[in-house]
Amino acid sequence: MVNYSKFVLDNGLRVVIHPDDSTPMVAVNILYNVGARDESPDKTGLAHLFEHLMFGGSENIEDFDDPIQRAGGENNAFTNNDITNFYDIIPAQNLEVALWLESDRMLSLSFDEQVLDVQRKVVIEEFKESCLNQPYGDVWHHIADMAYKVHPYQWPTIGKVPKHVEDATMDDVKDFYRKFYNPNNAILTLAGNVSVEKGRELVEKWFGDIPPGITPTRTLPQEPPQKKLQQRINQAKVPVDALYLAFHSPGRSEADFYVSDLLSDILGNGSSARLYRKLLKEQQIVNQIDCYVTGSMDPGLFIIEARPAEGHTLEEVEKLIWAELELIRNELVSERELQKLKNKIESTLLFSEMSVLNKAMNLAFFELLGDAGIINEEAQMYHRISREEVRDMARKIFTPENCNELYYKVSQATA
Amino acid sequence: MPDRSQAPLIKGIDQLKLPEPQKILLGNGVPMYILSMGRQEVCKLEIVFRAGRPYEHKQLVARATSALLREGTAHYTGRVIAEEMDYHGCSLKTPFNIDVTTITLYVVNKHLDKVLPMLAEVISAPSFPEKELRSFIQRNQQRLQIDLSKSDVLAYRKITELIFGEQHPYGYNSFAETYSLLQQEDLFQHFRRLHTSGNAVVFLSGKVDQDMIRRIDDTLSNAIKEGPTAEPWVPEINAQPQRLNISQKDSLQTAVRIGRRLFNRHHPDYAGGYVLNNLLGGYFGSRLMTNIRERHGYTYNIYSLVDPMVYDGGLYIGTEVSNEAVEDTLRQIHIELDRMRTELVSEEELEMVRNYTMGYLLSLLDGVFSMAEVIKTLYLDGLSVSFIDQLSEVIRNISAEELRELAQRYLRREDLWEVVVGPNV
């Protein structure tokens, strides 16, 4: 059970405080409700580039990292398709330093040409390091491009191409800041060794006078149902072939998201999961197999990825995966198997409550979904799921028409 | 309205407390260290054997033995073990470590009884099925093939091999052939010789009570067989520093590794070296990060790290940089190393690295499992909780002169190995 208190400042900043005196630290998390899905198709990667610029100094602070390190803290951030999330973990006695820093960059970021110039280069190196120079590193570019024809999930957070990042101008980033980096577009959570009263007092002190902006409206084109199987073969300089199947599945805010998540656990989570047992252990036709949902806000993807063992082909592997999918479409999972998954989820949630940073991030994310209190209801949501619902979800998702099939193959030229 | 031009007063961290674990001896004489804290009804049980690479009679056998422990025992198949553990919401892992083999059980307290018998079998009677071994070999050979296509992996493999030697437990690399040579009997021998009371230490942490401790004692006293303490094999090293370029055409970045042998945690300079490394490349505000990433934008990441092992240690600088920037990156790294040896760090920067390092230690001691992790590392290394006091004493008091002296001792250019992997080298 995560106890918390929440309130909204006059400027629209939503605040959630979770006191936990078992730790000497406080985690400060600020979620801005902006991600790669809010970019325009010819300027992708901007949300993520902007995340980098947030460390380049603000009106009263030359360098963000300097004071936080001086205060014994650590900080970082991540961007995904939906959100940009910043966090600091700091000794409780220095909590105010983190709030001073976070509020200053929310109020007034410095826009230094030099910073923009360097961070463009840094992000391009990140693009190479994480995507272009990694075996299978561009797989998300392919999957997103195949699965989404109109929705902006069609490009990955890092950007469609490095050129978009290279071309980002000072005007682009200033507009982005004005539009999205306002208190009324953010959620602040504190979790750790701080009382609700003290936390509230400090938050009001540092964030209370930041003027609100115009609340951005989001009208994204929704992806129409896929009508037929999409297939792609990509040849690249990789050592072994790999298979990716991506099925459209519910988004995070839909009621049956939890069913799809549980379904992915049945098939792919842990060493007793079906696909792992059957294909990797019993038949030994794959060396690696994974299965997960993307968990995005708008309808997401249910991914199955596998690498064939030596002497086996992608076609063979795919056929056996489909046999397992057929099985779960046709036969109810046993009570015991369903109970196993629920027990597993219950313990995962229990263990995740041991980290204040986890709690701070989750509270912010759930508040974005509609209510921080979901953090205490998740176990129940999984618990309520019936065998029939699992089967029905499998029937809904696992059809060829709903599938994007990517064969990632060893390029003949370099093999 | 707050005065934003003034930073709130920063308060130093002078209290770092790592609680002393309770020590008991199990029925078979194996020590068990217990840290009973926390609010959630969960615990972590770790059974550690000094059975890592320094104890191997054949390369990779430690890794293979540890990976196959869960894959079948006298009475249970791997499938049944996986199924039962998952059913009870437990996680049973055998994470790789170069010096030791660890069996880690994370468990919700109410299920402890149900999984202890199976844990006992995993510890006492693994069957190392031939089929599982073949599959382990095949999977790892494929993983290796993928890893070898990455320039950073190539660079790291090469530099550790050069520094420690290609036969040394800390230096040897795995190859497809090393895997092929593994036989089922090697695993049995390794297991029988090393997974015994003379080489075992147990760590228990979380919300545990006397009754749980008693049941764990009963289980492990029977499961861990009696046997003598084994001697490690750690050969002398006398390699001379060298530079090596490896060409990897088509790579979009160049991997750079610079490093040297250093020392383990028992060395009198360990604590000072820890601070020195942070200053150089151990945190975001470090010299290398500030120069190579934040000033020049040559890379997404550059770091230096100290890697202490039980019988030795290393210091490494690592980065993946734009191909066009390799030469200047190397030059800039050496400028930073020169500055460390010749200039005194300013009081301001020193205070920052001190505070950052103290805060980092504080976060390492956050939560019962994190504390247990630190305790495990220290006790396996023959140290005690007072090590943290000594370390924080040095962090708080080390002077600019002492840091420069350490840099002159450990960051001399002629003592550094260098490996560069990229298309234009």
Side-chain angles (χ1 to χ4, degrees), chain A residues 21 23 60 65 69-70 72 74 93-94 100 103 107 118-119 121 125-126 129 132-133 205-206 209 272 281 284 287 307-308 310 336 340 343-344 346-347, chain B residues 1-2 4 11-12 39 71 83-84 86-87 89 108 110 132 138-139 142 146 251-253 283-285 293-294 297-298 300 322 348 355-356 359 366:
Chain A
D21 62 9
T23 164
N60 298 289
D65 296 282
Q69 289 160 173
R70 214 169 275 287
E74 282 256 32
Q93 67 265 39
N94 289 329
W100 170 64
S103 63
L107 176 68
V118 169
Q119 292 308 317
K121 289 198 211 160
E125 292 309 311
E126 183 180 359
E129 196 172 319
L132 308 177
N133 207 36
K205 173 178 172 188
W206 290 104
D209 67 345
S272 78
K281 283 294 182 188
Q284 301 199 344
N287 277 339
R307 281 203 293 268
E310 207 176 303
R336 186 189 150 94
K340 174 181 81 177
N343 290 346
K344 220 173 137 144
E346 185 190 342
S347 93
Chain B
M1 202 181 273
R4 296 184 178 276
K11 300 175 189 112
R39 293 181 186 167
E71 301 298 349
E83 179 67 26
E84 284 300 306
D86 275 352
Y87 184 76
V108 180
K110 66 179 175 190
E132 294 293 342
Q138 215 250 345
R139 283 201 308 276
Q142 189 182 82
I146 294 168
S251 183
L252 296 173
Q253 286 182 309
Y283 73 122
F284 195 87
R293 173 177 146 142
E294 293 298 289
Y298 290 157
Y300 174 52
S322 152
E348 212 193 356
N355 291 357
Y356 168 79
D366 185 13

Coordinates of all heavy atoms in Angstrom, one line a residue, chain A residues 21 23 60 65 69-70 72 74 93-94 100 103 107 118-119 121 125-126 129 132-133 205-206 209 272 281 284 287 307-308 310 336 340 343-344 346-347, chain B residues 1-2 4 11-12 39 71 83-84 86-87 89 108 110 132 138-139 142 146 251-253 283-285 293-294 297-298 300 322 348 355-356 359 366:
Chain A
D21 N 9.6 7.1 5.5 CA 10.8 7.4 6.3 C 11.8 6.3 6.5 O 12.7 6.3 7.3 CB 10.4 8.0 7.6 CG 9.6 7.0 8.5 OD1 9.6 5.8 8.1 OD2 9.1 7.4 9.5
T23 N 13.8 5.5 4.2 CA 15.0 5.8 3.4 C 15.5 7.2 3.8 O 14.7 8.1 4.2 CB 14.6 5.8 1.9 OG1 15.6 6.5 1.1 CG2 13.3 6.5 1.7
N60 N 18.7 31.3 -13.5 CA 19.5 31.5 -12.3 C 20.6 30.4 -12.1 O 21.3 30.5 -11.1 CB 18.6 31.6 -11.1 CG 17.6 32.8 -11.2 OD1 18.0 33.9 -11.1 ND2 16.4 32.5 -11.4
D65 N 23.5 20.2 -13.5 CA 24.1 19.1 -12.7 C 25.0 19.5 -11.6 O 25.1 18.8 -10.6 CB 25.0 18.2 -13.7 CG 24.1 17.6 -14.8 OD1 23.4 16.6 -14.5 OD2 24.0 18.2 -15.9
Q69 N 24.9 17.6 -7.8 CA 26.0 16.8 -7.4 C 26.6 17.3 -6.1 O 27.0 16.5 -5.2 CB 27.1 16.8 -8.5 CG 26.6 15.9 -9.7 CD 27.3 16.2 -11.0 OE1 27.1 15.6 -12.0 NE2 28.2 17.2 -11.1
R70 N 26.7 18.6 -6.0 CA 27.2 19.3 -4.8 C 26.3 18.9 -3.6 O 26.8 18.9 -2.5 CB 27.1 20.8 -5.1 CG 28.2 21.6 -4.4 CD 28.2 23.0 -5.0 NE 29.0 23.1 -6.2 CZ 30.3 23.0 -6.3 NH1 31.0 22.9 -5.2 NH2 30.9 23.1 -7.5
G72 N 24.9 16.1 -3.2 CA 25.0 14.7 -3.0 C 23.9 13.9 -3.8 O 23.5 12.8 -3.4
E74 N 21.7 12.6 -7.5 CA 21.9 12.1 -8.8 C 20.7 12.5 -9.6 O 19.6 12.6 -9.0 CB 21.9 10.6 -8.8 CG 23.2 9.9 -8.4 CD 23.9 9.3 -9.6 OE1 23.9 9.9 -10.7 OE2 24.6 8.3 -9.3
Q93 N 17.9 16.0 3.4 CA 18.2 17.3 3.9 C 18.4 18.4 2.8 O 18.4 19.6 3.0 CB 19.4 17.3 4.9 CG 20.7 17.0 4.3 CD 21.1 15.5 4.4 OE1 20.2 14.6 4.3 NE2 22.3 15.2 4.7
N94 N 18.7 17.9 1.6 CA 18.9 18.8 0.5 C 17.8 18.8 -0.6 O 17.9 19.3 -1.7 CB 20.2 18.4 -0.2 CG 21.4 18.8 0.6 OD1 21.3 19.8 1.4 ND2 22.5 18.1 0.5
W100 N 14.5 23.8 -6.2 CA 15.0 25.1 -6.7 C 15.4 24.9 -8.2 O 15.0 25.6 -9.1 CB 16.2 25.5 -5.9 CG 17.0 26.6 -6.4 CD1 16.6 27.9 -6.6 CD2 18.4 26.6 -6.8 NE1 17.7 28.7 -7.1 CE2 18.8 27.9 -7.2 CE3 19.4 25.6 -6.8 CZ2 20.1 28.2 -7.7 CZ3 20.7 25.9 -7.2 CH2 21.0 27.2 -7.6
S103 N 12.4 23.9 -10.5 CA 11.4 25.0 -10.7 C 12.1 26.1 -11.6 O 11.4 26.7 -12.5 CB 11.0 25.6 -9.4 OG 12.1 26.2 -8.7
L107 N 10.5 27.4 -15.1 CA 10.2 28.8 -15.2 C 10.8 29.5 -16.4 O 10.2 30.2 -17.2 CB 10.6 29.6 -13.9 CG 10.4 31.1 -13.9 CD1 8.9 31.4 -13.9 CD2 11.1 31.6 -12.6
V118 N 26.2 21.6 -29.2 CA 26.8 20.4 -28.6 C 25.8 19.3 -28.5 O 26.1 18.1 -28.8 CB 27.5 20.8 -27.3 CG1 27.9 19.5 -26.6 CG2 28.7 21.7 -27.5
Q119 N 24.6 19.6 -28.0 CA 23.7 18.5 -27.7 C 23.1 17.9 -29.0 O 22.8 16.7 -28.9 CB 22.5 19.0 -26.8 CG 23.0 19.3 -25.3 CD 23.8 18.2 -24.7 OE1 23.4 17.0 -24.8 NE2 24.9 18.6 -24.0
K121 N 25.0 17.2 -31.5 CA 26.1 16.3 -31.8 C 26.0 15.1 -30.8 O 26.1 13.9 -31.2 CB 27.4 16.9 -31.6 CG 27.8 17.9 -32.6 CD 29.3 18.1 -32.6 CE 29.7 19.5 -33.0 NZ 31.1 19.8 -32.5
E125 N 25.4 11.1 -31.8 CA 26.2 10.0 -31.3 C 25.4 9.0 -30.6 O 25.6 7.8 -30.7 CB 27.4 10.5 -30.4 CG 28.4 11.3 -31.2 CD 29.0 10.6 -32.4 OE1 29.3 9.4 -32.4 OE2 29.0 11.3 -33.5
E126 N 24.4 9.4 -29.8 CA 23.5 8.5 -29.1 C 22.7 7.7 -30.2 O 22.4 6.5 -30.0 CB 22.5 9.3 -28.2 CG 21.6 8.4 -27.4 CD 20.6 9.2 -26.5 OE1 20.7 10.5 -26.5 OE2 19.8 8.6 -25.8
E129 N 25.0 5.1 -31.4 CA 25.4 4.1 -30.4 C 24.2 3.2 -30.1 O 24.4 2.0 -29.9 CB 25.8 4.9 -29.1 CG 26.5 4.0 -28.1 CD 27.1 4.8 -26.9 OE1 27.7 5.9 -27.1 OE2 27.1 4.3 -25.8
L132 N 22.0 2.9 -34.9 CA 22.7 2.6 -36.1 C 23.9 1.7 -36.1 O 24.2 1.0 -37.0 CB 23.1 3.9 -36.8 CG 21.9 5.0 -36.9 CD1 22.5 6.3 -37.5 CD2 20.8 4.4 -37.7
N133 N 24.6 1.7 -34.9 CA 25.8 1.0 -34.8 C 25.7 -0.3 -34.0 O 26.6 -0.8 -33.5 CB 26.9 1.9 -34.3 CG 28.3 1.4 -34.7 OD1 28.5 1.0 -35.9 ND2 29.3 1.5 -33.9
K205 N 6.4 27.0 -2.3 CA 7.4 28.1 -2.4 C 8.1 28.2 -3.7 O 8.2 29.2 -4.3 CB 8.5 27.8 -1.3 CG 9.6 28.7 -1.3 CD 10.6 28.4 -0.1 CE 11.9 29.3 -0.3 NZ 12.9 28.8 0.7
W206 N 8.5 27.0 -4.3 CA 9.4 27.1 -5.5 C 8.6 27.0 -6.8 O 9.0 27.6 -7.8 CB 10.4 26.0 -5.5 CG 11.5 26.3 -4.4 CD1 11.6 25.6 -3.2 CD2 12.5 27.3 -4.5 NE1 12.6 26.2 -2.5 CE2 13.2 27.2 -3.3 CE3 12.9 28.2 -5.4 CZ2 14.3 28.0 -2.9 CZ3 13.9 29.1 -5.1 CH2 14.6 29.0 -3.9
D209 N 4.8 30.3 -8.0 CA 4.7 31.6 -8.8 C 5.0 31.4 -10.3 O 5.2 32.4 -11.0 CB 5.6 32.7 -8.2 CG 7.1 32.3 -8.3 OD1 7.4 31.1 -8.6 OD2 8.0 33.2 -8.1
S272 N 9.2 -20.2 -16.9 CA 8.2 -21.2 -17.1 C 7.1 -20.7 -18.1 O 6.1 -21.4 -18.3 CB 7.5 -21.4 -15.7 OG 6.6 -20.4 -15.4
K281 N 13.3 -24.4 -24.8 CA 13.7 -25.5 -23.9 C 13.4 -26.9 -24.6 O 14.2 -27.8 -24.6 CB 13.0 -25.4 -22.5 CG 13.7 -24.4 -21.7 CD 15.1 -24.9 -21.3 CE 15.8 -23.9 -20.4 NZ 17.2 -24.3 -20.3
Q284 N 14.0 -26.6 -28.7 CA 15.3 -26.0 -28.9 C 15.5 -25.5 -30.3 O 16.5 -25.7 -30.9 CB 16.4 -27.0 -28.6 CG 16.3 -27.5 -27.2 CD 17.5 -28.2 -26.6 OE1 18.4 -28.5 -27.4 NE2 17.6 -28.3 -25.3
N287 N 17.2 -19.7 -29.9 CA 18.2 -19.4 -28.8 C 17.7 -18.3 -27.9 O 18.3 -18.0 -26.9 CB 19.5 -19.0 -29.4 CG 20.3 -20.2 -29.8 OD1 20.0 -21.3 -29.3 ND2 21.2 -20.1 -30.7
R307 N 15.2 -15.4 -32.0 CA 16.3 -15.7 -32.8 C 16.4 -17.3 -33.0 O 16.5 -18.0 -32.0 CB 17.6 -15.2 -32.2 CG 17.8 -13.7 -32.5 CD 19.2 -13.3 -32.4 NE 19.7 -13.4 -31.1 CZ 19.7 -12.4 -30.2 NH1 19.2 -11.2 -30.5 NH2 20.2 -12.6 -29.0
P308 N 16.4 -17.8 -34.2 CA 16.4 -19.2 -34.4 C 17.8 -19.8 -33.9 O 18.8 -19.1 -34.0 CB 16.3 -19.4 -35.9 CG 16.0 -18.1 -36.5 CD 16.3 -17.0 -35.5
E310 N 20.8 -22.5 -34.4 CA 21.5 -22.9 -35.6 C 20.8 -24.1 -36.3 O 20.4 -25.0 -35.7 CB 23.0 -23.3 -35.3 CG 23.9 -23.1 -36.4 CD 25.3 -23.5 -36.0 OE1 25.8 -22.9 -35.0 OE2 25.9 -24.3 -36.6
R336 N -4.7 -23.1 -12.6 CA -3.4 -23.0 -12.0 C -2.4 -22.1 -12.7 O -1.7 -21.3 -12.1 CB -2.7 -24.4 -11.9 CG -1.4 -24.4 -11.1 CD -0.7 -25.7 -11.2 NE 0.8 -25.4 -11.0 CZ 1.4 -25.4 -9.9 NH1 0.8 -25.8 -8.8 NH2 2.7 -25.1 -9.8
K340 N -0.8 -18.8 -11.1 CA 0.7 -18.6 -11.2 C 1.0 -17.2 -11.6 O 1.8 -16.5 -11.0 CB 1.3 -19.6 -12.1 CG 2.8 -19.4 -12.3 CD 3.5 -20.4 -13.3 CE 3.2 -20.0 -14.7 NZ 3.9 -20.9 -15.7
N343 N 0.1 -14.7 -8.9 CA 1.0 -14.7 -7.8 C 2.3 -13.9 -8.2 O 2.9 -13.2 -7.4 CB 1.4 -16.1 -7.4 CG 0.3 -16.9 -6.8 OD1 -0.7 -16.3 -6.4 ND2 0.4 -18.2 -6.7
K344 N 2.7 -14.2 -9.4 CA 4.0 -13.6 -9.8 C 3.8 -12.1 -9.9 O 4.7 -11.3 -9.5 CB 4.2 -14.1 -11.3 CG 5.7 -14.4 -11.5 CD 5.9 -15.1 -12.8 CE 7.1 -14.4 -13.3 NZ 8.0 -15.1 -14.1
E346 N 1.7 -10.3 -8.2 CA 1.6 -9.8 -6.8 C 3.0 -9.6 -6.2 O 3.3 -8.5 -5.6 CB 0.8 -10.8 -6.0 CG 0.5 -10.3 -4.6 CD -0.1 -11.4 -3.8 OE1 -0.6 -12.5 -4.3 OE2 -0.1 -11.3 -2.5
S347 N 3.9 -10.5 -6.4 CA 5.2 -10.4 -5.8 C 6.0 -9.3 -6.5 O 6.7 -8.6 -5.9 CB 5.9 -11.7 -5.7 OG 6.7 -12.0 -6.8
Chain B
M1 N 7.5 35.5 -3.0 CA 8.3 35.0 -4.1 C 9.7 34.6 -3.7 O 10.4 35.4 -3.0 CB 8.4 36.0 -5.2 CG 8.6 35.4 -6.6 SD 8.7 36.7 -7.9 CE 7.0 36.8 -8.3
P2 N 10.2 33.4 -4.0 CA 11.5 33.0 -3.5 C 12.6 33.7 -4.2 O 12.4 34.1 -5.4 CB 11.5 31.5 -3.8 CG 10.6 31.3 -5.0 CD 9.6 32.4 -4.9
R4 N 15.4 33.3 -6.3 CA 15.9 32.2 -7.1 C 17.4 32.4 -7.4 O 18.0 31.4 -7.9 CB 15.1 32.1 -8.4 CG 13.7 31.8 -8.2 CD 13.0 31.6 -9.5 NE 11.6 31.2 -9.2 CZ 11.2 30.0 -9.0 NH1 12.1 29.0 -9.0 NH2 9.9 29.7 -8.7
K11 N 23.4 21.1 2.6 CA 23.9 20.5 3.9 C 24.7 19.2 3.6 O 24.3 18.4 2.7 CB 22.7 20.1 4.8 CG 21.9 21.4 5.1 CD 20.7 21.0 5.9 CE 19.8 22.2 6.1 NZ 18.5 22.1 5.3
G12 N 25.9 19.1 4.2 CA 26.8 18.0 4.0 C 26.2 16.7 4.5 O 25.3 16.7 5.3
R39 N 10.0 -3.3 5.5 CA 8.5 -3.3 5.8 C 7.8 -4.3 5.0 O 6.8 -4.8 5.5 CB 8.0 -1.9 5.6 CG 8.5 -0.9 6.6 CD 7.9 0.5 6.4 NE 8.6 1.4 7.3 CZ 8.6 2.7 7.2 NH1 7.8 3.3 6.3 NH2 9.3 3.4 8.0
E71 N 18.6 -26.1 -13.9 CA 18.0 -26.8 -15.1 C 17.8 -28.3 -14.9 O 17.6 -29.1 -15.9 CB 19.0 -26.6 -16.3 CG 19.2 -25.2 -16.7 CD 17.9 -24.5 -17.2 OE1 16.9 -25.1 -17.4 OE2 17.9 -23.2 -17.3
E83 N 8.5 -23.8 -13.0 CA 7.1 -23.7 -12.8 C 6.7 -23.4 -11.3 O 6.0 -22.5 -11.0 CB 6.4 -25.0 -13.3 CG 4.9 -25.1 -13.1 CD 4.2 -24.2 -14.0 OE1 4.7 -23.8 -15.0 OE2 3.0 -23.8 -13.6
E84 N 7.4 -24.2 -10.4 CA 7.1 -24.0 -9.0 C 7.5 -22.7 -8.5 O 6.9 -22.1 -7.7 CB 7.8 -25.2 -8.2 CG 7.1 -26.5 -8.3 CD 5.6 -26.4 -7.8 OE1 5.4 -26.0 -6.7 OE2 4.7 -26.8 -8.6
D86 N 7.9 -19.9 -10.2 CA 7.0 -18.9 -10.7 C 5.6 -19.0 -10.0 O 5.0 -17.9 -9.6 CB 6.8 -19.1 -12.2 CG 7.9 -18.4 -13.0 OD1 8.7 -17.6 -12.4 OD2 8.0 -18.5 -14.2
Y87 N 5.2 -20.2 -9.7 CA 3.8 -20.3 -9.1 C 3.8 -19.7 -7.7 O 2.8 -19.1 -7.3 CB 3.5 -21.8 -9.0 CG 2.1 -22.0 -8.4 CD1 1.0 -21.7 -9.3 CD2 1.8 -22.3 -7.1 CE1 -0.3 -21.8 -8.8 CE2 0.5 -22.4 -6.6 CZ -0.5 -22.2 -7.4 OH -1.8 -22.3 -6.9
G89 N 5.6 -17.1 -6.9 CA 6.0 -15.7 -7.0 C 7.4 -15.5 -6.6 O 7.8 -14.4 -6.2
V108 N 8.5 -14.0 -1.4 CA 7.5 -13.5 -0.5 C 7.5 -14.4 0.7 O 7.4 -15.6 0.5 CB 6.2 -13.4 -1.2 CG1 5.1 -12.8 -0.3 CG2 6.3 -12.6 -2.5
K110 N 5.5 -15.5 2.9 CA 4.5 -16.6 3.1 C 4.7 -17.8 2.2 O 4.2 -18.8 2.5 CB 3.1 -16.0 2.8 CG 2.8 -15.6 1.4 CD 1.4 -15.0 1.3 CE 1.2 -14.5 -0.2 NZ -0.1 -13.8 -0.4
E132 N 20.8 -30.0 -21.7 CA 20.8 -28.6 -21.2 C 22.1 -28.0 -21.5 O 22.3 -26.9 -21.8 CB 20.4 -28.5 -19.8 CG 18.9 -28.9 -19.5 CD 17.9 -27.9 -20.1 OE1 18.3 -26.8 -20.4 OE2 16.8 -28.3 -20.2
Q138 N 25.2 -23.9 -27.2 CA 24.8 -23.4 -28.5 C 24.2 -21.9 -28.3 O 24.5 -21.1 -29.1 CB 23.7 -24.3 -29.0 CG 23.7 -24.5 -30.5 CD 22.4 -23.8 -31.0 OE1 21.5 -23.5 -30.3 NE2 22.4 -23.6 -32.3
R139 N 23.5 -21.7 -27.3 CA 22.9 -20.3 -27.1 C 24.0 -19.3 -26.8 O 24.0 -18.2 -27.3 CB 22.0 -20.3 -25.9 CG 20.6 -20.9 -26.2 CD 19.6 -20.4 -25.1 NE 20.0 -20.6 -23.8 CZ 19.8 -21.7 -23.1 NH1 19.3 -22.8 -23.7 NH2 20.2 -21.8 -21.8
Q142 N 26.0 -18.4 -29.9 CA 25.3 -17.5 -30.8 C 25.3 -16.0 -30.2 O 25.6 -15.1 -30.9 CB 23.8 -17.9 -31.0 CG 23.2 -17.0 -32.0 CD 21.7 -17.3 -32.3 OE1 20.9 -16.9 -31.5 NE2 21.4 -18.1 -33.3
I146 N 27.0 -12.5 -31.8 CA 26.4 -11.2 -31.9 C 27.3 -10.1 -31.1 O 27.6 -9.1 -31.7 CB 25.0 -11.2 -31.3 CG1 24.1 -12.1 -32.2 CG2 24.4 -9.8 -31.2 CD1 22.8 -12.4 -31.6
S251 N 32.0 0.3 -39.3 CA 31.5 0.8 -38.0 C 31.3 2.3 -38.0 O 32.1 3.0 -38.5 CB 32.5 0.4 -36.8 OG 31.9 0.8 -35.6
L252 N 30.1 2.7 -37.5 CA 29.8 4.1 -37.5 C 30.4 4.9 -36.3 O 30.3 6.1 -36.3 CB 28.3 4.3 -37.5 CG 27.5 3.8 -38.7 CD1 26.0 3.8 -38.5 CD2 27.9 4.5 -39.9
Q253 N 30.9 4.2 -35.4 CA 31.6 4.8 -34.3 C 32.9 4.1 -34.0 O 33.1 2.9 -34.4 CB 30.7 4.8 -33.0 CG 29.6 5.8 -33.0 CD 28.8 5.8 -31.7 OE1 28.4 4.7 -31.2 NE2 28.6 6.9 -31.1
Y283 N 31.4 10.4 -12.7 CA 30.0 10.9 -12.6 C 29.8 11.9 -13.7 O 30.7 12.3 -14.5 CB 29.8 11.5 -11.2 CG 30.5 12.8 -10.9 CD1 29.8 13.9 -10.5 CD2 31.9 12.9 -10.9 CE1 30.4 15.1 -10.2 CE2 32.5 14.1 -10.6 CZ 31.8 15.2 -10.2 OH 32.4 16.3 -9.9
F284 N 28.6 12.4 -13.8 CA 28.3 13.3 -14.9 C 29.1 14.6 -15.0 O 29.5 15.0 -16.1 CB 26.8 13.7 -14.9 CG 26.3 14.3 -16.2 CD1 25.8 13.4 -17.2 CD2 26.4 15.6 -16.4 CE1 25.4 13.9 -18.4 CE2 26.0 16.2 -17.7 CZ 25.5 15.3 -18.7
G285 N 29.4 15.1 -13.8 CA 30.2 16.3 -13.8 C 31.8 16.1 -13.9 O 32.5 17.0 -13.7
R293 N 32.2 15.0 -23.8 CA 30.7 15.1 -24.2 C 30.2 16.6 -24.1 O 29.7 17.1 -25.1 CB 29.9 14.2 -23.3 CG 28.4 14.4 -23.5 CD 27.5 13.5 -22.7 NE 26.3 14.3 -22.4 CZ 25.0 13.7 -22.4 NH1 24.9 12.5 -22.7 NH2 24.0 14.5 -22.2
E294 N 30.3 17.2 -23.0 CA 29.6 18.5 -22.8 C 30.3 19.6 -23.5 O 29.7 20.6 -23.9 CB 29.4 18.8 -21.4 CG 28.4 17.8 -20.7 CD 27.0 17.9 -21.3 OE1 26.3 18.9 -21.1 OE2 26.6 16.9 -22.0
G297 N 31.0 17.4 -27.6 CA 29.9 16.6 -28.3 C 30.4 15.5 -29.2 O 29.8 15.1 -30.1
Y298 N 31.6 14.9 -28.8 CA 32.1 13.8 -29.5 C 31.4 12.5 -29.3 O 31.6 11.5 -30.0 CB 33.6 13.6 -29.2 CG 34.6 14.7 -29.7 CD1 35.8 14.9 -29.1 CD2 34.2 15.5 -30.8 CE1 36.7 15.8 -29.5 CE2 35.1 16.5 -31.2 CZ 36.3 16.6 -30.6 OH 37.2 17.6 -31.0
Y300 N 28.2 10.2 -26.8 CA 27.0 10.2 -25.9 C 27.4 9.9 -24.5 O 26.9 10.4 -23.5 CB 26.0 9.1 -26.4 CG 24.8 8.9 -25.5 CD1 24.0 10.0 -25.1 CD2 24.5 7.7 -25.1 CE1 22.9 9.8 -24.3 CE2 23.4 7.5 -24.2 CZ 22.6 8.5 -23.9 OH 21.5 8.4 -23.1
S322 N 32.4 9.5 -32.3 CA 32.3 9.7 -33.7 C 33.6 9.4 -34.4 O 34.7 9.8 -33.9 CB 31.9 11.2 -33.9 OG 32.4 11.7 -35.1
E348 N 36.6 24.1 -4.9 CA 35.2 24.0 -5.4 C 34.8 22.7 -6.0 O 33.8 22.0 -5.7 CB 34.9 25.2 -6.4 CG 33.5 25.7 -6.3 CD 33.2 26.6 -7.5 OE1 34.1 26.8 -8.3 OE2 32.1 27.0 -7.6
N355 N 31.0 15.6 -2.2 CA 29.5 15.5 -1.9 C 28.8 14.5 -2.7 O 28.0 13.8 -2.3 CB 28.9 16.9 -2.0 CG 29.3 17.8 -0.9 OD1 30.1 17.4 0.0 ND2 28.9 19.1 -0.9
Y356 N 29.2 14.6 -4.0 CA 28.5 13.6 -4.9 C 28.8 12.2 -4.5 O 27.9 11.4 -4.4 CB 29.0 13.8 -6.4 CG 28.6 12.7 -7.2 CD1 27.3 12.6 -7.7 CD2 29.5 11.6 -7.5 CE1 26.9 11.5 -8.4 CE2 29.1 10.5 -8.1 CZ 27.8 10.4 -8.6 OH 27.3 9.3 -9.3
G359 N 26.9 11.3 -1.4 CA 25.5 11.0 -1.7 C 25.3 9.7 -2.4 O 24.4 9.0 -2.2
D366 N 20.6 2.5 0.6 CA 19.2 2.8 0.7 C 18.4 1.5 0.5 O 18.3 1.0 -0.5 CB 18.8 3.8 -0.4 CG 17.4 4.3 -0.3 OD1 16.7 4.0 0.8 OD2 16.9 4.9 -1.2

